[in-house]
Every structure is written in structure tokens, then in C-alpha cells.
């Protein structure tokens, strides 16, 4: 079986794996009777994303935050063929280019929300739309968020109004292992694949703490379910990884035997272990819902025991208690500015969590986990920045923007494509009406790959999602 | 060792205790004395015995007053979060009982939330150090539409109930329709029947002569509540979202001539003129702009500005009780979506004060009012502004909370921060 759907835009790690796969597929059978080599298609739902039509655009005179800590006043940025082609003071206007005078306005990289349930828990949030938690078992790595992604969720266009250009859509946090996430470009699509960020690695949603033990341990799903405690949680993750190691060994052995010319059958396919083994091979990134510092500390050791990398802890309300350890272990924290208190593991939230993680040299990300909060992640960053400064952590606005685009892009493995403004990168850009750290500023224009996906001053140009047609408030300012 | 620790704990507790009502002068700031208007430059605000005694441009400070220098700063009345369960809920998920929720209780018409109120709740200091000095608090759940009698809190250290039985909360949305019989037809019919029966009883009692009245039984708490509502002494806080349901509410208000505050109010902007004509005020969350269910399809963040423009009084719901402080950000969001700044300031002060019956003592910077005063380091609605001083009923509250203590403990990481006090 051939591997299909892997294209040249695939990111580095995936490309290495693809190369290995091709080697295996090219291996010729020996003299004995040998069946066709069976390799698993690692990309059975390939991205069908194509950039929306765009034209060359020069935006002049703005304050530009490049997303990598840089800030320039009054420079211009040129968008061509969906890419950033130049940033500077004197850029010639290409023939036919649209020129936007942005004096007094600000330009930033598009915001990337690494924690969204849009599409899988869409609006309206009725029972029929509850597609985010496959609670039938505590470990469901075989569930994929993209299979529940409703592209017509009205939430997507609201986030474009908030300057969001990419999102990671995740399964919920009921399970120990909830399933695969999907990273999308924030453009309308007819099917989920139309939105998938080309070449973005998959993520795996896992969850620490209260949720899994409450969902499975309260008895409502029958008496045989574990976990009931945090002890059971950790046992559940470790057993799952041990099973995945065993599964991978079987496939490795199959490949060795086949290459040695033996007539061997492949191991039985297990969709759950396929994904877990993908994490152990380094192809799939773990994004783990974890609030308490001690829960995160435990997971850092589980990570070492089974030799995988946790890309990020999600929510990470107590990252400030262990920020040095997170920096040492190269794990990002995706955090709220000020959500806390609604459950015991969120009880110790402080408003300085994000700046304290930043100060420790660890990777700090502002995330939403909310169809409302995602519309104003710039405001969340502003609050965190102000609280940090008051506590004596001096961070510039330019550096704080790394929480909104570059660090999220790094954690998702898409930072070579997006997350900063530099020549050659995807033109995922927001033009703000003013300083985006002000409550009064709003996105005037949001570009994804150089195409306008939200235009505040021309609301008639904005998408109206299918569900909104013919309903009260259709096409209204939201 | 244990003894030592407890002594230290007492010392720490007394260290954070608030200074009792002293004479205070706040000088030099830009004061907004009436919500978002009544601007006074270089204001001298005198506070004595918990009350504001004068607000003047310039003006001298009498001997014996402690001066808070507000030069270059903004001074406003303390803000009010218009719909919370503050003091009724600790940790809502798997964290013990939640006194805001009584899922087995039916007919909670005369039930006051005050006996359940916990002044030691940590969310209260977290809220007040952000400049929110008042909150409306109420129950959120029962087994039908009746949610009892809510209160207005002043977020001091003690004696926090500023107004008990401030309103009768009634939920008239999809959720309560589901509880009372599965249809809105049942819900509205039950509501009308209950009020008509109470009105008939009141009318009959009024016809009795004085001798009969002596023999009459004391009214039940429920009857007393409905009498207070029907006689205009107490408003109802009706949680209604869908336009069709809001029209039902307006008709209900007309029939019984009662005072109504509309809460939730997702599609209220669609009937803004009718609400204005009926004198119905609105409490809403300006961030709500998604068709989250079939009751709220038309909601938009532009609603606050539209309602204000139509002449409807507006106040704001914060995003969750533990984040009651974020009512201030919500006001800023309303401004960004078209509400005038001054109107959003009114919605944080004078409007909720009037709606919930505390307008005589709170909401303005004026002689005779409770001294709820906040000194801000910039525009109070801005995300990066914060209070430098918070007075509540004349007490200068320390800007300390459990959160600031955790912050200070973990500012510099080491092996065992538990020994840091």
C-alpha cells in the first residue's frame, strides 16, 4: 500500500517519516511467496485547503509588531501571492496593488488559538451538536476532531473578527486520551478538509486531573470504568503508552520480517494504538489539559518514561508554580489571563500566570477554550501584560505578542509557515483599528494567506454561515 | 510548632484587617461624579464616617484627614456587577455544595438568599481590588422558574448585605419551560395564574374591615413577596432572552403594572423602543454574540449601545461569579461596539444602583452617598488600567487577596515556597 497525500509542504518531521515509509514501500519482495507489503496510510483525510483569491496589497504607515519581539513605527508591509513579500519603509507599489493607508493603526501577525472546540461543540450548543467528548472509554485516541468538525459553525466568522487566522480544534477533556486534534486555517469550508492547515502535524488531546476521574469514576458509565482517582488517571496513561510501545514493536517486527523476505501478515490494525504509536514516533504532538503544577510534574516524568514530548499543557493554571521545570523540559503552557476558581484544580489561578511563565524563560501562550474568549485573545494578552508589569515583570507589547502567534505556532509545529511577519511567510495578518492592547481597538481587516476573511468597515463582505441564513440577526454586526 | 503557626496566622490576619472608617480626602484627580458624567477636574472628595461629605473642584482639606493623592488619576464611584452569585458559590464543580443552586426546591418565591451568603468567600476580595465594590447576587437554579429573593452586596469586610430582598428572580426561558411542564405555554400560564391569584387575594384583603384583618393569618413569605411586587415595592428580575418571550413579558408587565428588570435579554435590542416605553431596564452580557441556542439567535455585542440609544437603562452581567471583576472589561467591550463611554460608566454605577433599589446611597460621588470610591491609574474601562485605591463605605480596602498572596509567594521560585508568608 502506498502512502498518499504527503506533499512537499509537509513539515520536517513528517517528511522524515514519509521518507522512511517510501523506503519500506519500495522494498522488493524476496524469492519466496510474499504478499504485498502493508503500510498504514498516515494521512487518510488529506487537506483540501486552497487559499482564497487575493490580490497584491500594500499597507502603509502602521505600527507593526512582527510577532518575534520586533516593533517598527510607520513602516509598510506588502502582501503578494498570499505571502508576506516585504516589510520596510520604502516599498514600491506593484502594479495593480491595493494600497491601504494605515496611519495610526497597528499590524500584527494573525492570532492562533491553540485551544478551541469550534466546530466540534458548535453554536447552537444543543445536545445534537455535542460532538466533542467520546466518553465511551477513557482512552479514545482513535477519535479525530476533524470527523466532528462542522464547518458552518457561526463561531468561525466571529473569531475572524477577533483577528484569529488559525486554530487548533480539540476533542474535549472528559477522557484520559480524548483523540486527535486538527489545526485549521480560519476560512470557511464546505467540508472539514477544506479548512485543514496544509502540512500541520496532528495533535493528541489528553487530560489530567479532575475531569476524567469525575466522568468515569462517578459510576454513571457503569461500574467497570476506571479511573476514579488521579492514581487511576496516571495508570491509564502509562498502560496506554505501554500498549502503544508493544503495538509499534509488532509493526517494526513485521517490517523487519518482510524485508528479510518472510511471508508475514501485518499485525491487526488498532486505530487507538495507531495514534498513540504516532506520538511515540514523534509525528503527533501531545497537548495535555492539566491545571495543577503537581499533575504537570507527574506528566513530565511519564513523558520521559515513554520517551515522547508534550508540546503543551493546556489551561496550565498553576504553571507559575513550576515555570522553571517547564522551561527545562521545553513544554509550552497555554493559559487564560484570569480564568480561575470554577473547580478545585483552578482554585489557585493568579492573574500573573502568563507573565511569570514568560519571565522563567518558558513558552507562554494565551488560549481561549471558549467561543467567546477566542474573539478577544488580544485583550486577554493585554490584561496579563498589565498584571505582569504591576508585579514587576517588564515585558514589551512586542514581546507579549509572542504569546498570541509565534509561541502557539511553535507548539502546533506550524511556525515555519505562520506566526510572525517575515518575507516568505503566509500572509496571516491583522490590521487593527488602533493599539490591540486597548479594549477599544478592533480588527479592521483579517487576512488569511493574503485574502480578506473579515472586513469590519464593509460588513456586507463578511461571510454569513449557513446556520445564520434566515435567522434573526442574519448578517448583523456581531 | 503548631502554636507558633497559629499565632503567626493571627498576626497575618490582623495585619490585613481593614482600617475602620477614618476621615479621608481624595485630592487632585479627575472625578466622574455621576456615572460617566459630572466630570470634576482636580477634585477634592471628603469622606467622613463612611459617607462622602463633599466633592469640589480644588478645595482645601480639613485638619485630621488622611490624604490620598489622586493627581493625574481618574476617580469614580465603585462599580457594580449586576448579575452574580457572589457569596453563594465557592467552587461550583465538584467542590461541595453551591448555595446558588437549589435544584430540588419548588416555588421559591419568598426565599431570601441572605442566610446562605458567605462573607468569607475568596471571590469577594478578588472582585473588590479590581474596583468592583457592589454586586447583585442571586440564585441560579431551582426546580422551576422561581429563583427567590436576591440581594445587593457591598464588598467590604463585614456587614456586606446592602439590600436584602432587593428583587424577585424569575427564570422565563427555555430551561425553566422544560422544568415546569415542557412548554413555554405552561410556563407563562403558571406565571399569570400565580400573579392573578395573589392579586385576587390582595384585593379581597383590602375589602375586609379592620376587625377581619386582625384575625387574618400572617402572610406567608411567598404571599408577602408577591404583594410587594404587585404593589410596586419590589421589582422582578426576569431572565428572558427570546424576542417572542420578551413580548410576553412586556404584556405581563402591563397586565399587572409591576416593575420589571429584564436579565439575559439576548434579543431585547429588537424591541428596544417597546422596552423604553414600558420603563423596563435591561441587564445583559455585552460579549454574548453567538446563536448559542434557539432563544438567543439574534444576540449581538451591539445590543447595549442600541438599547441605550433607544432610552433603555442598561447594566452589565460579568462572565461568571468568580470573575465578577470582569464586568469592567465587559463595559469596555460595549463601548467598542458602539455604546457611548459615559453610558457604559452609568451601566456600572447609577443604573444598577437605581434598578436594584440602592440608588439613594450608592452609585454617585455626592454628599451623603456611601463612600464607594475608586482611584484608577487611567481610564477605568481600559484593559491595562487598575485601581490604586478602593474605598468601600468609607473604608480604604487593602489591595490584597488570596490571589495576590499566591502571586507574591511564587514570584521567585524555590524549593519550598510554603515557608514564605
Amino acid at each position: 500500500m502506498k502512502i498518499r497525500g504527503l506533499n512537499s509542504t509537509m513539515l520536517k518531521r513528517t517528511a522524515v517519516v514519509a521518507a522512511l515509509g517510501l523506503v519500506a514501500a519500495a522494498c522488493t519482495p524476496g524469492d519466496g511467496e510474499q504478499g504485498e507489503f502493508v503500510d498504514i496510510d498516515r494521512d487518510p483525510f488529506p487537506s483540501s485547503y486552497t487559499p482564497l483569491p487575493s490580490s497584491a496589497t500594500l499597507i502603509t504607515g502602521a505600527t507593526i509588531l512582527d510577532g518575534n519581539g520586533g516593533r517598527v513605527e510607520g513602516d509598510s508591509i506588502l502582501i503578494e501571492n498570499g505571502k508576506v513579500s516585504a516589510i520596510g519603509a520604502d516599498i514600491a507599489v506593484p502594479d495593480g496593488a491595493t494600497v491601504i493607508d494605515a496611519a495610526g493603526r497597528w499590524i500584527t501577525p494573525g492570532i492562533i488559538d491553540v485551544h478551541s472546540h469550534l466546530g466540534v461543540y458548535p453554536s447552537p450548543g444543543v445536545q445534537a451538536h455535542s460532538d466533542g467528548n467520546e466518553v465511551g472509554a477513557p482512552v479514545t485516541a482513535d477519535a479525530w476532531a476533524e470527523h466532528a468538525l462542522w464547518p458552518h459553525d457561526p463561531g468561525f466568522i466571529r473569531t475572524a473578527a477577533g483577528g484569529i487566522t488559525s486554530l487548533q480544534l480539540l476533542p474535549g477533556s472528559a477522557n484520559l486520551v480524548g483523540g486527535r486534534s486538527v489545526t485549521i486555517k480560519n476560512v470557511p469550508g464546505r467540508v472539514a478538509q477544506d479548512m485543514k492547515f496544509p502540512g500541520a502535524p496532528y495533535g493528541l488531546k489528553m487530560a489530567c486531573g479532575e475531569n476524567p476521574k469525575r466522568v468515569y469514576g462517578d459510576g454513571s458509565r457503569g461500574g467497570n470504568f476506571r479511573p476514579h482517582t488521579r492514581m487511576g488517571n496516571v495508570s491509564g496513561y502509562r498502560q496506554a503508552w505501554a500498549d502503544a510501545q508493544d503495538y509499534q514493536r509488532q509493526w517494526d517486527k513485521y517490517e523487519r520480517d518482510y524485508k528479510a523476505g518472510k511471508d508475514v501478515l501485518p499485525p491487526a490494525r488498532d486505530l487507538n494504538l495507531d495514534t498513540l504509536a504516532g506520538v511515540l514516533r514523534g509525528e503527533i504532538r501531545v497537548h495535555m489539559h492539566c491545571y495543577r503544577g503537581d499533575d504537570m510534574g507527574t506528566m513530565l516524568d511519564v513523558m520521559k518514561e515513554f520517551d515522547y514530548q508534550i508540546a503543551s499543557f493546556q489551561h496550565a493554571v498553576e504553571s507559575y508554580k513550576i515555570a522553571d521545570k517547564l522551561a527545562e523540559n521545553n513544554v509550552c503552557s497555554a493559559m487564560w489571563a484570569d480564568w480561575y476558581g470554577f473547580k478545585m484544580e483552578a482554585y489557585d489561578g493568579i492573574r500573573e500566570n502568563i507573565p511569570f511563565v514568560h519571565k522563567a524563560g518558558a513558552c507562554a501562550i494565551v488560549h481561549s477554550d471558549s467561543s467567546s474568549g477566542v474573539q478577544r485573545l488580544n485583550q486577554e494578552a493585554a490584561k496579563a501584560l498589565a498584571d505582569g508589569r504591576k508585579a514587576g515583570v517588564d515585558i514589551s507589547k512586542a514581546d507579549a505578542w509572542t504569546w498570541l502567534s509565534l509561541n502557539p505556532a511553535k507548539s502546533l509545529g506550524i511556525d515555519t509557515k505562520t506566526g510572525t511577519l517575515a518575507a516568505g511567510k503566509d500572509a496571516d495578518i491583522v490590521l487593527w483599528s488602533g493599539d490591540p492592547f486597548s479594549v477599544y481597538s478592533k480588527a479592521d481587516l483579517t487576512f488569511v494567506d493574503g485574502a480578506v476573511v473579515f472586513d469590519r468597515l464593509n460588513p456586507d463582505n463578511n461571510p454569513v454561515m449557513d446556520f445564520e441564513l434566515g435567522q434573526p440577526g442574519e448578517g448583523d454586526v456581531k | 510548632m503548631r502554636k507558633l503557626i497559629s499565632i503567626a496566622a493571627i498576626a497575618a490576619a490582623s495585619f490585613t484587617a481593614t482600617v475602620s472608617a477614618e476621615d479621608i480626602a481624595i485630592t487632585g484627580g479627575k472625578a466622574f461624579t455621576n456615572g460617566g458624567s459630572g466630570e470634576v477636574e482636580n477634585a477634592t472628595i471628603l469622606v467622613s464616617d463612611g459617607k462622602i461629605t463633599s466633592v469640589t473642584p480644588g478645595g482645601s482639606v480639613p485638619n485630621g484627614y488622611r490624604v490620598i493623592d489622586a493627581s493625574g488619576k481618574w476617580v469614580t464611584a465603585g462599580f457594580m456587577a449586576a448579575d452574580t452569585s457572589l457569596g453563594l458559590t465557592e467552587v461550583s464543580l465538584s467542590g461541595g455544595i453551591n448555595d446558588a443552586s437549589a435544584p430540588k426546591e419548588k416555588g421559591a418565591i419568598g426565599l431570601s438568599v441572605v442566610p446562605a451568603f458567605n462573607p468569607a468567600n475568596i471571590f469577594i476580595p478578588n472582585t473588590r481590588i479590581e474596583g468592583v465594590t457592589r454586586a447583585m447576587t442571586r440564585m441560579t437554579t431551582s426546580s422551576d422558574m422561581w429563583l427567590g429573593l436576591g440581594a445587593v452586596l457591598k464588598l467590604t469586610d463585614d456587614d456586606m448585605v446592602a439590600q436584602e430582598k432587593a428583587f424577585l428572580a424569575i427564570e422565563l426561558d427555555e430551561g425553566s419551560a422544560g422544568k415546569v411542564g415542557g412548554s413555554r405555554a405552561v410556563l407563562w400560564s403558571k406565571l399569570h395564574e400565580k400573579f392573578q391569584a395573589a392579586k385576587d387575594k390582595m384585593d379581597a384583603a383590602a375589602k375586609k374591615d379592620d376587625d377581619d384583618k386582625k384575625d387574618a393569618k400572617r402572610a406567608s413569605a411567598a404571599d408577602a413577596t408577591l404583594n410587594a411586587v404587585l404593589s410596586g415595592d419590589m421589582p422582578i428580575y426576569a431572565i428572558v432572552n427570546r424576542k417572542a418571550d420578551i413580548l410576553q413579558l412586556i404584556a405581563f408587565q402591563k397586565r399587572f403594572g409591576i416593575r420589571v428588570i429584564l436579565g439575559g435579554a439576548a434579543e431585547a435590542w429588537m424591541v428596544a423602543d417597546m422596552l423604553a416605553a414600558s420603563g423596563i431596564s435591561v441587564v445583559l452580557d455585552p460579549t454574548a454574540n453567538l446563536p448559542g441556542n434557539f432563544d438567543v439567535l439574534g444576540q449581538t455585542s451591539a445590543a447595549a449601545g442600541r438599547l441605550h440609544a433607544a432610552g433603555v437603562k442598561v447594566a452589565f452581567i460579568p462572565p461568571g461569579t468568580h470573575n465578577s471583576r470582569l464586568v469592567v472589561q465587559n463595559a469596555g467591550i460595549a463601548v467598542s461596539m458602539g455604546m457611548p463611554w459615559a453610558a457604559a460608566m452609568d451601566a456600572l454605577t447609577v443604573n444598577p444602583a437605581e434598578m436594584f433599589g440602592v440608588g439613594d446611597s450608592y452609585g454617585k460621588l455626592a454628599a451623603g452617598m456611601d463612600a464607594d470610591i475608586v482611584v484608577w491609574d487611567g481610564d477605568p474601562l481600559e484593559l491595562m488600567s487598575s485601581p490604586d485605591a478602593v474605598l468601600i463605605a468609607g473604608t480604604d480596602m487593602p489591595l490584597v487577596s488570596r490571589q495576590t498572596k499566591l502571586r507574591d509567594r511564587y514570584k521567585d521560585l524555590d524549593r519550598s515556597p510554603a515557608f514564605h508568608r
Side-chain angles (χ1 to χ4, degrees), chain A residues 124-125 158 338 340 342 348-349 351-352 359 375 379 383 390-391 438-440 442 471 476-478, chain B residues 91 93 126 130 289 291-292 297 300 306 322-323 325 329 336 341 379 382 386 402-403 407 411 413:
Chain A
R158 302 290 194 283
D338 49 24
Y340 79 107
F342 47 89
D348 281 6
R351 296 170 312 157
E352 297 79 5
K359 182 183 75 156
Q375 300 179 40
Q379 296 191 15
K383 289 185 290 180
K390 268 171 257 157
S438 163
V439 76
Y440 306 126
K442 290 187 291 188
Q471 302 276 22
D476 194 8
V477 170
K478 297 293 182 181
Chain B
V91 174
L93 191 62
N126 291 346
E130 306 284 343
N289 67 352
L297 297 176
T300 162
R306 291 174 184 173
H322 48 281
N323 263 334
R325 57 196 181 187
Q329 182 184 5
S336 80
W341 184 88
D379 174 355
E382 267 294 11
S386 62
R402 185 169 179 278
Q403 286 192 311
R407 173 195 69 197
K411 215 168 181 175
L413 294 172

Side-chain angles (χ1 to χ4, degrees), chain B residues 355-398:
Chain B
M355 288 177 199
F356 295 105
V358 294
D360 291 342
S361 57
Y362 154 78
K364 297 179 184 177
L365 302 182
M369 304 294 271
D370 286 353
D372 282 30
I373 309 174
V374 182
V375 178
W376 303 84
D377 61 6
D379 174 355
L381 304 191
E382 267 294 11
L383 301 162
M384 296 187 70
S385 300
S386 62
D388 285 340
V390 177
L391 273 63
I392 307 180
T395 302
D396 188 3
M397 308 302 298

Side-chain angles (χ1 to χ4, degrees), chain B residues 38-351:
Chain B
E39 186 176 341
V40 178
E41 289 290 344
N42 187 29
T44 297
I45 304 167
L46 299 181
V47 174
S48 188
D49 201 21
K51 304 279 185 189
I52 296 170
T53 55
S54 73
V55 183
T56 53
S60 57
V61 176
N63 284 340
Y65 277 68
R66 183 164 68 82
V67 173
I68 296 174
D69 181 6
S71 301
K73 295 177 180 173
W74 301 43
V75 185
T76 69
F79 292 155
M80 177 163 167
D83 188 344
T84 80
S85 297
L86 212 52
L88 302 177
T89 180
E90 305 291 335
V91 174
S92 48
L93 191 62
S94 306
I97 73 161
N98 172 3
D99 287 307
S101 175
K104 293 176 187 160
E105 181 68 3
K106 264 199 171 69
I109 297 173
L111 190 76
S112 169
V113 297
V114 168
F117 173 67
N118 174 23
N121 180 281
I122 65 156
F123 302 149
I124 291 170
N126 291 346
T127 301
R128 71 178 171 227
I129 68 171
E130 306 284 343
V132 177
T133 66
R134 303 269 166 157
M136 172 274 237
T137 192
R138 68 171 177 90
M139 284 174 48
T140 57
T141 311
S142 70
S143 72
D144 54 23
M145 73 265 222
W146 305 102
L147 294 174
L149 299 167
V152 175
L153 306 174
K154 60 175 192 285
L155 306 181
T156 49
D157 262 355
D158 48 30
D159 190 22
M160 290 193 207
V161 179
Q163 180 78 43
E164 190 176 0
K165 301 179 183 175
F167 58 91
L168 168 62
I170 314 174
E171 187 177 54
L172 296 165
D173 63 5
E174 190 178 54
S176 49
K179 289 175 192 168
V180 300
S183 162
R184 285 176 176 83
V186 178
L187 180 71
W188 287 100
S189 158
K190 286 195 175 196
L191 183 74
H192 278 268
E193 274 174 25
K194 188 59 126 181
F195 271 72
Q196 190 57 52
K199 188 166 186 302
D200 292 347
K201 219 167 168 180
M202 257 175 84
D203 292 346
K207 282 182 194 148
K208 286 182 182 171
D209 62 29
D210 288 347
D211 284 347
D212 286 344
K213 278 182 185 167
K214 272 182 213 159
D215 298 336
K217 284 182 193 165
R218 202 155 55 83
S220 69
D223 283 349
T225 297
L226 293 175
N227 290 352
V229 171
L230 286 164
S231 57
D233 294 336
M234 182 192 288
I236 64 166
Y237 183 73
I239 297 137
V240 190
N241 283 301
R242 195 172 72 170
K243 177 185 166 187
D245 297 340
I246 294 171
L247 292 174
Q248 289 294 327
L249 180 70
I250 292 171
F252 174 74
Q253 185 233 17
K254 282 212 169 74
R255 174 176 173 187
F256 291 102
I258 58 177
R259 289 161 56 205
V260 173
I261 305 164
L262 171 56
E267 295 186 342
W269 65 270
M270 294 178 168
V271 291
D273 291 340
M274 292 178 72
L275 291 169
S278 308
I280 296 177
S281 51
V282 165
V283 177
L284 54 71
D285 173 358
T287 66
N289 67 352
L290 281 162
N293 60 58
F294 285 90
D295 275 12
V296 301
L297 297 176
Q299 67 184 351
T300 162
S301 292
R306 291 174 184 173
L307 287 159
H308 166 75
V312 178
K313 270 197 183 3
V314 174
F316 298 128
I317 303 173
T321 287
H322 48 281
N323 263 334
S324 294
R325 57 196 181 187
L326 297 185
V327 74
V328 188
Q329 182 184 5
N330 275 5
I333 291 165
V335 173
S336 80
M337 293 301 293
M339 190 183 214
W341 184 88
M345 289 288 291
D346 290 351
L348 289 171
T349 53
V350 289
N351 290 0

Side-chain angles (χ1 to χ4, degrees), chain A residues 111-122 131-133 143-153 155-157 159 164-173 178-189 191-197 200-206 284-285 287 314 367-371 374 408 411-412 414 465:
Chain A
I111 299 171
I112 300 166
D113 187 9
V114 300
H115 197 119
S116 176
H117 301 297
L118 290 177
V120 298
Y121 279 114
D131 278 326
N133 282 307
W144 298 31
E146 66 199 76
H147 300 154
L149 197 184
W150 189 44
H152 307 295
D153 184 348
F156 288 119
I157 181 60
T159 74
I164 303 288
T165 54
S166 286
L167 306 100
Q168 176 175 228
L169 310 179
L170 295 152
S173 53
R180 285 201 200 201
S181 68
V182 62
T183 297
I184 63 159
K185 288 265 190 182
N186 193 19
V187 297
V191 295
Q193 295 91 319
D194 289 346
M195 304 171 79
K196 286 178 73 174
F197 196 120
Y202 276 105
L204 180 66
K205 174 72 177 291
M206 296 178 64
I284 298 171
R285 290 163 177 251
H287 300 281
Q314 300 284 318
H367 80 334
S368 81
D369 188 21
S370 158
S371 56
V374 64
S411 81
L412 298 178
I414 54 175
M465 302 308 243

Side-chain angles (χ1 to χ4, degrees), chain A residues 209-289:
Chain A
E210 290 181 25
N211 287 7
K213 80 190 186 87
R214 182 184 67 251
V215 170
Y216 297 99
D218 72 358
S220 63
R221 271 158 240 292
N224 295 326
F225 273 115
R226 293 177 70 184
H228 296 254
T229 64
R230 282 182 158 81
M231 299 184 287
N233 285 358
V234 177
S235 163
Y237 316 127
R238 295 178 72 220
Q239 189 61 57
W241 294 130
D243 292 347
Q245 284 177 328
D246 186 50
Y247 183 67
Q248 185 63 46
R249 284 184 202 113
Q250 291 177 43
W251 277 93
D252 291 346
K253 180 173 190 306
Y254 163 70
E255 191 177 322
R256 278 198 311 275
D257 288 349
Y258 189 91
K259 283 180 184 167
K262 294 182 188 168
D263 181 23
V264 282
L265 284 173
R269 185 87 183 270
D270 182 315
L271 296 181
N272 186 46
L273 296 175
D274 270 354
T275 292
L276 293 171
V279 171
L280 298 182
R281 290 192 303 266
E283 298 162 23
I284 298 171
R285 290 163 177 251
V286 171
H287 300 281
M288 190 159 197
H289 158 120

